[in-house]
Amino acid sequence: MNTMGAVMMYRVKDNECLPFYVSLSGGLNCKVQKTKGITRNQIQEMLAKNLIQATD
């Protein structure tokens, strides 16, 4: 099983498109590897609040 993945998303705020990228590893126990356009802490908060959910 591959335990790595990536997410490319766009946040829209006040007619502005803010892209960000995150690479993850660890399967269901997601660990943030790299980020661009967003901080590691912001992604970890989203994961903790289940705003982003890992699926098998």
Side-chain angles (χ1 to χ4, degrees), residues 22-50:
V22 180
S23 66
L24 303 163
S25 69
L28 296 176
N29 301 316
C30 289
K31 293 182 179 65
V32 176
Q33 296 299 310
K34 296 179 184 178
T35 64
K36 185 169 185 175
I38 195 167
T39 68
R40 182 180 302 265
N41 287 340
Q42 288 172 310
I43 290 297
Q44 289 172 332
E45 286 176 18
M46 292 172 78
L47 288 168
K49 293 178 183 176
N50 289 322

Side-chain angles (χ1 to χ4, degrees), residues 10-19:
Y10 299 88
R11 294 179 288 172
V12 178
K13 181 180 178 185
D14 300 327
N15 294 325
E16 185 178 7
C17 184
L18 306 167

